[in-house]
Every structure is written in structure tokens, then in C-alpha cells.
Amino acid sequence: ENKAERDRIQDASTIYKKYVGSTVTIVTDNGQLGSGFFIDDSLIATNYHVVHGATQVKIKLKDIEEYFPIDGFVAVNKNVDL
């Protein structure tokens, strides 16, 4: 393992620790399960395939057992799966 590899691993670890609280678990009424992350106070990004076809979507925040329904979608792009 060289210095560049150690720096990259440390950077990934630092990034994870900094942003892990921004991630959410996504559950849909059609059985899809996925993850997403906050890109603003009330805006979450996820993959299109996670929410495609769902009529109800809920999120679970880290360290909170309650699920919260989402209000809707702002935009989708199925070509890039967002």
C-alpha cells in the first residue's frame, strides 16, 4: 500500500464520516428498497429505478426508527437513472 492509496482511503473515510448523516433509506409501496442523500434541507437525490412505478415513497433517517412520507418528485431522468 503506497502513500497515494493510504491518502485515498483516508479521504473516503473522512467523506463517509462527514456525510453519513445525510443519507436516507427509501422504501416504496411496490417493494423497492434503496438509498438516497440530502442535497438540500428538504430535497433528496436517489436512483430513478428505486422510485419508478411507486405511488407511495417513504424515507427513514439514520438513527430514527420512524418513516416519513415524501411530498413528491421535483425531477426525474431515467436516462441517467436519477
Side-chain angles (χ1 to χ4, degrees):
E1 186 174 305
N2 61 34
K3 181 181 179 334
E5 181 67 14
R6 282 192 309 272
D7 288 347
R8 187 191 68 74
I9 292 169
Q10 183 175 4
D11 288 342
S13 176
T14 301
I15 291 168
Y16 173 80
K17 288 175 186 173
K18 184 175 181 179
Y19 293 106
V20 69
S22 298
T23 61
V24 299
T25 299
I26 299 172
V27 178
T28 69
D29 63 335
N30 62 358
Q32 289 288 82
L33 180 66
S35 62
F37 57 93
F38 281 97
I39 58 173
D40 200 359
D41 287 341
S42 61
L43 193 59
I44 296 169
T46 190
N47 292 104
Y48 176 78
H49 73 268
V50 173
V51 295
H52 175 68
T55 58
Q56 293 181 7
V57 178
K58 296 179 182 177
I59 63 164
K60 182 182 174 300
L61 305 173
K62 183 180 182 314
D63 298 329
I64 298 177
E65 292 304 315
E66 185 178 356
Y67 284 84
F68 300 92
I70 66 160
D71 290 333
F73 301 104
V74 174
V76 297
N77 185 331
K78 52 185 157 179
N79 293 329
V80 294
D81 196 27
L82 287 174

